Amino acid sequence: MGTLSNLLFLLLTVHSVNALKCYVCGSATTNQECNKSEQDCQAPLDTCMTTVGTLGGFTAISKTCSNSKLCTSAAAIASVDNNGNGVQVTCCNSYLCNYSGAASVTLHRWLLVLPLLLITLLFRQHT
């Protein structure tokens, strides 16, 4: 019985060390305000999702634990117009990775544009 207890304790310890933790907030106006609360994400929530909505000079930031498919889908349909108004969604999956919504939004744009540039270059080389 002692061996079973030790094995169970080990499994619980390993699981808690590898758990994803995200910053969470409802509707903050700055990252500093939003990063005051952290949450351990429970399965099947495997992604930190950051949503930044901008309208005029007003910005609302929301951070939460999410499912990777849901976050990726939300990021794919989010958009911002030429005036900077709209919604941006970013996804990440490492410990407290959603610290800076602004930096990850910029990185996310490049991750979307880079594959399109590579595909365009490949097509031009074959024609």
Side-chain angles (χ1 to χ4, degrees):
M1 189 67 167
T3 304
L4 183 59
S5 298
N6 290 338
L7 183 59
L8 182 59
F9 176 75
L10 180 63
L11 289 174
L12 290 174
T13 305
V14 170
H15 175 70
S16 64
V17 169
N18 292 330
L20 177 66
K21 183 176 273 197
C22 301
Y23 288 104
V24 294
C25 65
S27 183
T29 57
T30 66
N31 265 315
Q32 292 79 10
E33 181 184 343
C34 203
N35 292 343
K36 291 180 180 178
S37 182
E38 303 169 2
Q39 180 179 355
D40 290 320
C41 302
Q42 303 299 317
L45 306 179
D46 58 355
T47 301
C48 299
M49 182 165 105
T50 301
T51 305
V52 180
T54 306
L55 183 58
F58 180 73
T59 298
I61 303 168
S62 174
K63 297 182 181 187
T64 187
C65 294
S66 178
N67 174 281
S68 61
K69 289 181 183 180
L70 173 69
C71 191
T72 303
S73 297
I77 62 172
S79 66
V80 176
D81 65 18
N82 292 335
N83 297 323
N85 296 317
V87 176
Q88 297 173 322
V89 177
T90 57
C91 312
C92 60
N93 58 5
S94 59
Y95 185 83
L96 297 177
C97 60
N98 61 339
Y99 178 77
S100 173
S104 59
V105 167
T106 303
L107 177 63
H108 183 68
R109 283 185 186 162
W110 279 109
L111 290 176
L112 289 174
V113 172
L114 187 59
L116 294 174
L117 290 174
L118 292 173
I119 291 170
T120 302
L121 289 173
L122 288 173
F123 278 122
R124 286 187 178 177
Q125 288 179 353
H126 289 287
T127 56

